[in-house]
Amino acid sequence: MQRMTRQRTAVADALSTVEDFRSAQQLHELLRDQGHGIGLATVYRTLQALAEAGVVDVLRTADGESVYRRCERREHHHHLVCRTCGATVEIDGPAVESWADRIAASHGFTDITHTVELFGTCAACAAASGQDDVATGG
Amino acid sequence: MQRMTRQRTAVADALSTVEDFRSAQQLHELLRDQGHGIGLATVYRTLQALAEAGVVDVLRTADGESVYRRCERREHHHHLVCRTCGATVEIDGPAVESWADRIAASHGFTDITHTVELFGTCAACAAASGQDDVATGG
DNA sequence: GCGAAGTTGACAATCATTTTCACCCCCACT
DNA sequence: AGTGGGGGTGAAAATGATTGTCAACTTCGC
């Protein structure tokens, strides 16, 4: 049975106050800062449970760290993540889904899953770095 | 300067004889079996260099291990991988590329990169597991 | 309130990958 | 073909995220 403990509540709360993908370690630190005495192992376990329950989404950063985020929509979707500030947009892509199925089927593959994640620079960050260019450029 | 050493040749050769994605450790073992005395660190370093040079593709398995494969086409492409036997098909998806760019642009994101990988069960493996069903079913 | 069973947390263990560092060997030059 | 030097190598230690261990603790039904 899943019990509702102080720690699990804290992790769930922390996830709702955060908009970006965060690593277990970041969340652990955040919780510690907020005064919650919680063990790192517990944060990992809780995040894993939440991920399995489909409550949070997981993806892996370029350096292999797992990052978690509470998503609005429970159904299958993808993410557009700013690689500078971490801002995340949930997107669905029916076109991609059908494309994936079609491609896979045409090669005789079945039981398809796919990973599709987009990374880019959001408008705010582009403006920020753009200003640098302008400043240095003239 | 990049020197051509016995070890690098061996790794490159091993990669050309293999069709699936393989981990550094698998390749190391393979090379050892073939009688090449080569260190694990060297395999890692070589694969990394090859990946940076765009000669091999890298992707990460579900459990976070990096796997490498020498690909036919040097240009950007994606993969359809059998999760049972590892058989890999290179695919390109102009539709996905433009979809990604369009989605990203509509959210004000620029400088887009994307990861798109498909996993499934190839015809051969589906037949194999299907035979089990038939056998047990009739 | 009680007690059983799920939870916790500090720490050890795991495991892929990276770094270290002293020795090695490829290659341009002679 | 010999030589020098600088990149390359490898064994082992370091790293770092994640997982396992296990005794003590908390939650929840009764």
Side-chain angles (χ1 to χ4, degrees):
Chain A
M1 184 213 323
Q2 277 283 79
R3 287 184 186 163
M4 188 49 56
T5 63
R6 176 171 51 81
Q7 290 86 340
R8 284 185 188 158
T9 308
V11 172
D13 282 356
L15 280 166
S16 7
T17 67
V18 165
E19 300 220 323
D20 324 330
F21 280 93
R22 296 293 172 90
S23 71
Q25 316 236 14
Q26 287 174 322
L27 288 165
H28 177 238
E29 199 173 346
L30 177 63
L31 288 165
R32 285 300 183 100
D33 288 351
Q34 291 177 357
H36 298 282
I38 187 171
L40 182 54
T42 301
V43 175
Y44 272 105
R45 280 187 292 240
T46 304
L47 287 172
Q48 217 163 42
L50 290 171
E52 265 170 42
V55 179
V56 301
D57 278 12
V58 197
L59 57 84
R60 309 192 72 116
T61 63
D63 50 298
E65 206 176 356
S66 292
V67 288
Y68 304 82
R69 178 180 192 266
R70 162 163 236 146
C71 284
E72 308 284 330
R73 60 182 75 177
R74 290 290 298 265
E75 323 86 60
H76 175 76
H77 62 274
H78 305 291
H79 301 99
L80 169 58
V81 184
C82 175
R83 73 169 68 80
T84 301
C85 70
T88 301
V89 180
E90 295 175 31
I91 53 185
D92 60 0
V96 181
E97 317 294 325
S98 58
W99 168 83
D101 288 347
R102 190 159 6 94
I103 291 283
S106 78
H107 287 284
F109 280 61
T110 50
D111 189 21
I112 303 303
T113 60
H114 58 261
T115 60
V116 174
E117 304 296 341
L118 311 186
F119 301 93
T121 305
C122 73
C125 290
S129 72
Q131 283 183 343
D132 293 348
D133 289 354
V134 172
T136 57
Chain B
M1 186 215 318
Q2 277 283 79
R3 287 185 188 162
M4 187 48 56
T5 63
R6 177 172 50 82
Q7 291 88 340
R8 285 185 187 157
T9 308
V11 171
D13 282 356
L15 280 166
S16 4
T17 66
V18 164
E19 301 219 322
D20 325 329
F21 281 93
R22 296 292 172 92
S23 70
Q25 317 235 14
Q26 286 174 322
L27 288 165
H28 176 239
E29 199 173 346
L30 178 62
L31 288 165
R32 284 300 183 101
D33 287 351
Q34 290 179 357
H36 298 281
I38 187 171
L40 182 54
T42 301
V43 176
Y44 272 105
R45 279 187 290 239
T46 305
L47 287 171
Q48 219 163 42
L50 290 172
E52 264 169 43
V55 179
V56 301
D57 279 10
V58 197
L59 56 84
R60 308 190 76 113
T61 64
D63 51 298
E65 206 176 356
S66 292
V67 287
Y68 304 82
R69 178 179 191 267
R70 163 165 235 145
C71 284
E72 307 285 329
R73 59 182 78 177
R74 290 291 299 265
E75 324 86 61
H76 174 76
H77 62 274
H78 304 291
H79 301 100
L80 169 58
V81 184
C82 175
R83 73 167 69 80
T84 301
C85 71
T88 300
V89 179
E90 295 174 30
I91 52 184
D92 59 1
V96 182
E97 317 293 325
S98 58
W99 169 82
D101 288 348
R102 191 162 4 96
I103 292 282
S106 77
H107 287 284
F109 280 60
T110 50
D111 190 22
I112 303 304
T113 61
H114 57 261
T115 60
V116 174
E117 303 297 340
L118 311 186
F119 300 93
T121 305
C122 74
C125 290
S129 72
Q131 284 183 342
D132 292 351
D133 290 354
V134 172
T136 56

